[in-house]
Amino acid sequence: MPFGHDMVHSLGTVVDLLNSAPEIGGEETLRDLNDLATFIRQREISGIDHLDEGELTQIHTLRSDFHRILAAPDDPSAVTLLNALLSETRITPRLTEHDGHPLHMHYFAPGSSLAEHLAADCGVALAQLLITGERERLRTCCAPGCSRAFFDESRNRSRVYCDSRTCGNRMHVAAYRARRRT
């Protein structure tokens, strides 16, 4: 299934947000407003006028909500959690072009807080994964000692590591060495 720019971007934002948590990524990377501003810049999140400490707290809460959705044992549980999240979000769909990106859809209401902005845009992307039966594309790394999240865009849903250059390479080298020992 081909994924549009806006969906890939939103799901990438979910992944980066999840991986900023100590329970997934290993260390807290959204410690203060400077870290949050860097996250916004790196993820090219538009429409954010200001940040305050309340935003950071809301983003940590949203991150926990996304983690619960990712960890849901089945689709109906994920749907229930996502519906609860979306019910608290003002959603105003509109087409937009910005920052050199092609025409795409934004779902957040103008003037939304960062957390509401991400809940709307990322929540709708997660909803699309559930609607299309593709929830398993958002998963955690299979490498021992790694629990980082990733979005599998491969055609046959075969990706198992968060990064082929780190976890994938480490696991392939370990398998090679195990074969050589026998």
Side-chain angles (χ1 to χ4, degrees):
M1 158 178 222
F3 299 101
H5 156 76
D6 49 344
M7 186 169 172
V8 170
H9 184 268
S10 292
L11 292 171
T13 301
V14 170
V15 165
D16 285 352
L17 189 58
L18 288 168
N19 289 335
S20 73
E23 55 272 10
I24 291 188
E27 86 176 64
E28 175 66 63
T29 59
L30 291 177
R31 295 174 299 266
D32 55 31
L33 292 179
N34 289 332
D35 291 343
L36 189 55
T38 299
F39 178 83
I40 291 167
R41 195 171 38 261
Q42 288 173 340
R43 291 304 311 158
E44 297 179 339
I45 299 169
S46 61
I48 304 303
D49 296 329
H50 73 284
L51 294 174
D52 59 39
E53 289 297 327
E55 293 281 351
L56 187 59
T57 302
Q58 291 174 355
I59 288 298
H60 287 160
T61 300
L62 179 63
R63 181 176 67 187
S64 295
D65 292 341
F66 285 154
H67 186 260
R68 280 191 291 283
I69 293 166
L70 174 66
D74 52 38
D75 284 355
S77 300
V79 167
T80 299
L81 292 167
L82 185 55
N83 277 338
L85 174 72
L86 290 173
S87 72
E88 296 176 10
T89 305
R90 294 177 296 149
I91 295 181
T92 307
R94 67 188 181 291
L95 291 168
T96 185
E97 289 179 291
H98 60 86
D99 299 324
H101 296 294
L103 190 63
H104 60 280
M105 187 72 81
H106 278 190
Y107 296 96
F108 63 93
S112 295
S113 68
L114 175 61
E116 192 172 29
H117 174 136
L118 293 181
D121 277 357
C122 297
V124 168
L126 288 170
Q128 287 299 317
L129 279 183
L130 286 161
I131 289 167
T132 58
E134 300 283 352
R135 184 170 84 106
E136 75 277 358
R137 288 185 180 271
L138 186 62
R139 60 178 81 130
T140 56
C141 186
C142 289
C146 183
S147 58
R148 293 180 59 82
F150 68 92
F151 174 56
D152 181 4
E153 290 183 72
S154 68
R155 180 176 289 175
N156 62 357
R157 298 175 196 85
S158 61
R159 188 170 159 199
V160 293
Y161 304 118
C162 64
D163 185 2
S164 61
R165 290 170 294 180
T166 54
C167 289
N169 190 45
R170 181 170 44 93
M171 296 308 299
H172 289 114
V173 167
Y176 170 78
R177 289 180 178 158
R179 284 191 307 272
R180 298 281 292 171
R181 280 192 298 266
T182 58

